Amino acid sequence: MFLTITTTGNAEHPATDLGFLLHKHPEKAQAFSTSFGTAHVLYPEAEEQRCTAALLLEVDPVALVRRGKGKGRGGAPDAALAQYVNDRPYAASSLLAVALSNVFSSAMRGVCKARPERAARPLPLRVEIPALPARGGPDLVRRLFEPLGWAVAVEAVPLDTEFPEWGDSRYVRLVLESETLTLSDALRHLYVLLPVLDDAKHYWVAPDEVDKLLRAGEGWLPGHPEQKLITSRYLSRRWSLTREAMDRLELIRLAETDDSEVEEIDNAVEAEAEQEAKPTPLAVQRREAILTALRDRAAARVLDLGCGEGQLVRELLKEPRFTEIVGVDVSVRALTIASRRLKLDRMGERQAARVRLFQGSLAYTDKRLTGYDAAVLSEVIEHLDLPRLPALEYAVFGAARPRTVVVTTPNVEYNVRWETLPAGHVRHRDHRFEWTREEFRTWARAVAERHGYDVEFRPVGPDDPEVGPPTQLALFTLDTPTEKEAKAA
């Protein structure tokens, strides 16, 4: 990973003062050990008129794996293997943000005893990052940095210059320039926004990350137009931490508006003030509907097909009736997150024996999926292109043939009830389609008839008399064994 910071100067204020501000001498090349590699600081140029400091981070992927990521009882071996061959040694991410904080900690706080006046004054700054993952593309990069006073030059990196028709990768080349920011401002912006753009962190996000975010975001985050997105992504979309951070940011904003201290605003709210009851999130209602269907069918050995980050697997583990739980997903990254959130490496032996995670595609038959009581496809089918649905249908209903199959999918008719969803848009950018109630029932009945299942339909969420529920659920049951299955039994 590579990042450069450049400034210019003159005889009165030489550019080499950058060395004092960063607490790293321009005539030395220095190396600093981290838990994931080595950070090198050097100066490609150091003159009175122009000075550039470079941070080069050599990441050791093997060291990352040995620290335990993706390992442990019940861990996903494919996810562990991915750590050896991922992009982290080459592209800026939370690893580089942590290195910035460790190597330039005093500069980030704005502390410089040798040049205190320079530390407090804006500098002409140019920051270059040649490879930066940006989930959201150049547009998001501009939305994050331009409100902070940066002039942004960002260029998407093509997947392959020899094949332009393949389009762009998720990486960009970034150049930031400003003459109105201090070095401390610049470093704090980078510390927060690098992992936000990557939309991932290499470590578990604990509650103390809220304090880190607010410290680094002091003076700029409370008024940022993308505050909610920044907060959510920085905290790895952990809902409880995001809510806490947003509440504290709102107090800061109110305090600044009233020209008072945060403590005064906070104390003005009665401790026993009644709060409006928050509606149960649809995702929670969906999981409860699935669990109810599985309980109704007395399922004990359950497949979660397209398990994502493991939310349903976690709920299944809470109930002893589910004796074997298998999570399957095509995404290695999702399985890594699921393993971490389920704390599989710290789970007791008895509990760990109940759960497995492995990588697999639902477009192909897989012998590992046979012999289970039930399979769940929760918000999965709408992520497939329609021509691929028959392959999934055969892999699940024709080859695996669990006694019970639970399928949930959005009801597109209900979309008109979402105030924030533009007309004609699907709920998620990765949805290939969203069906009406009639379209879903037609598909489900045809699948049931082809493979010998019965099917019933249940609403999930408030059942609107005009447009139906937000989520529709089909419960497939195979009550009578086929002749082949009877012989095998």
Side-chain angles (χ1 to χ4, degrees):
M1 301 180 188
F2 189 68
L3 173 150
T4 61
I5 302 173
T6 301
T7 188
T8 56
N10 50 42
E12 184 180 359
H13 299 296
T16 48
D17 281 352
L18 183 63
F20 289 101
L21 301 179
L22 293 174
H23 299 262
K24 304 293 180 287
H25 200 289
E27 295 182 4
K28 297 180 180 179
Q30 297 174 266
F32 305 86
S33 295
T34 72
S35 59
F36 44 79
T38 304
H40 302 270
V41 178
L42 59 149
Y43 289 77
E45 55 182 343
E47 305 293 338
E48 183 181 276
Q49 289 76 28
R50 183 181 172 91
C51 183
T52 297
L55 175 62
L56 172 65
L57 181 59
E58 288 186 292
V59 178
D60 182 355
V62 177
L64 283 175
V65 178
R66 288 175 177 169
R67 289 175 63 216
K69 196 172 183 184
K71 297 194 301 180
R73 289 190 301 270
D78 295 327
L81 176 62
Q83 300 308 313
Y84 291 93
V85 294
N86 66 22
D87 62 358
R88 291 302 180 245
Y90 314 105
S93 69
S94 63
L95 293 169
L96 186 59
V98 171
L100 278 171
S101 177
N102 291 344
V103 175
F104 300 137
S105 58
S106 296
M108 189 173 292
R109 297 195 309 272
V111 175
C112 181
K113 294 182 180 178
R115 298 285 192 277
E117 73 289 346
R118 290 284 273 166
R121 193 165 60 237
L123 297 175
L125 292 171
R126 178 184 173 93
V127 176
E128 297 185 52
I129 305 174
L132 172 64
R135 296 183 184 274
D139 178 64
L140 180 60
V141 176
R142 296 186 187 95
R143 283 160 44 201
L144 294 183
F145 282 102
E146 286 181 348
L148 301 174
W150 291 102
V152 179
V154 57
E155 177 187 358
V157 176
L159 282 170
D160 193 315
T161 55
E162 297 296 321
F163 300 94
E165 65 273 13
W166 289 0
D168 295 328
S169 70
R170 68 184 182 93
Y171 298 92
V172 298
R173 300 183 184 94
L174 177 63
V175 177
L176 303 171
E177 293 185 298
S178 174
E179 296 189 359
T180 62
L181 298 170
T182 66
L183 180 62
S184 173
D185 293 333
L187 293 174
R188 290 188 295 115
H189 295 167
L190 294 169
Y191 175 76
V192 172
L193 297 181
L194 290 183
V196 167
L197 285 166
D198 190 18
D199 200 12
K201 284 196 171 184
H202 69 281
Y203 58 88
W204 173 246
V205 175
D208 64 347
E209 289 294 302
V210 175
D211 294 325
K212 294 180 184 178
L213 173 63
L214 297 184
R215 282 197 300 270
E218 183 179 358
W220 63 270
L221 183 55
H224 198 291
E226 298 292 344
Q227 177 197 105
K228 186 174 182 180
L229 180 144
I230 293 170
T231 303
S232 175
R233 284 195 175 193
Y234 182 86
L235 297 171
S236 295
R237 304 180 190 273
R238 293 190 61 187
W239 178 79
S240 59
L241 298 184
T242 301
R243 183 182 62 179
E244 178 189 345
M246 293 296 292
D247 288 346
R248 290 170 63 179
L249 286 167
E250 178 62 13
L251 286 174
I252 293 170
R253 188 190 67 79
L254 291 173
E256 291 176 348
T257 301
D258 293 346
D259 195 22
S260 57
E261 296 297 324
V262 171
E263 291 76 10
E264 296 177 19
I265 299 291
D266 200 13
N267 290 336
V269 181
E270 294 183 12
E272 300 299 325
E274 293 186 3
Q275 296 183 356
E276 292 184 10
K278 293 187 176 180
T280 303
L282 180 59
V284 175
Q285 297 182 62
R286 186 185 303 120
R287 287 194 290 272
E288 184 53 43
I290 293 169
L291 291 170
T292 298
L294 295 175
R295 296 185 198 112
D296 290 346
R297 299 300 300 163
R301 303 174 66 239
V302 180
L303 296 165
D304 183 6
L305 304 178
C307 66
E309 296 176 3
Q311 291 92 338
L312 179 60
V313 172
R314 181 176 56 203
E315 296 303 314
L316 291 167
L317 279 169
K318 294 178 181 178
E319 299 194 26
R321 73 173 73 227
F322 302 116
T323 58
E324 184 177 351
I325 304 154
V326 176
V328 182
D329 204 282
V330 71
S331 168
V332 170
R333 183 182 180 199
L335 292 171
T336 301
I337 296 172
S339 176
R340 184 181 66 202
R341 289 185 173 176
L342 294 169
K343 301 179 181 178
L344 295 182
D345 58 338
R346 297 195 290 269
M347 195 176 282
E349 288 188 18
R350 182 176 298 180
Q351 189 79 331
R354 295 173 57 207
V355 61
R356 286 187 298 135
L357 302 176
F358 61 77
Q359 185 185 23
S361 170
L362 302 182
Y364 304 97
T365 58
D366 190 332
K367 292 181 179 179
R368 295 175 295 178
L369 306 183
T370 59
Y372 287 86
D373 299 328
V376 177
L377 291 158
S378 179
E379 310 299 287
V380 170
I381 60 172
E382 64 273 11
H383 291 272
L384 274 69
D385 293 317
L386 283 169
R388 306 202 71 179
L389 271 184
L392 176 143
E393 174 192 333
Y394 180 75
V396 176
F397 295 91
R401 292 189 70 76
R403 297 293 178 200
T404 298
V405 181
V406 182
V407 179
T408 72
T409 192
N411 168 23
V412 71
E413 296 169 80
Y414 194 88
N415 286 359
V416 297
R417 297 292 188 256
W418 303 115
E419 296 180 0
T420 58
L421 186 64
H425 284 235
V426 293
R427 297 184 197 176
H428 190 280
R429 63 177 180 269
D430 191 49
H431 286 185
R432 302 301 197 266
F433 63 87
E434 288 178 357
W435 275 334
T436 65
R437 287 167 290 172
E438 185 58 34
E439 288 171 330
F440 179 56
R441 293 183 180 197
T442 299
W443 173 81
R445 288 175 181 138
V447 169
E449 183 177 352
R450 281 192 291 269
H451 299 283
Y453 283 78
D454 295 324
V455 62
E456 66 174 279
F457 302 94
R458 301 180 180 184
V460 179
D463 197 354
D464 189 288
E466 295 181 2
V467 297
T471 295
Q472 41 196 343
L473 182 150
L475 176 58
F476 298 83
T477 55
L478 186 67
D479 290 324
T480 305
T482 63
E483 182 179 343
K484 181 179 178 180
E485 289 168 335
K487 290 180 179 179

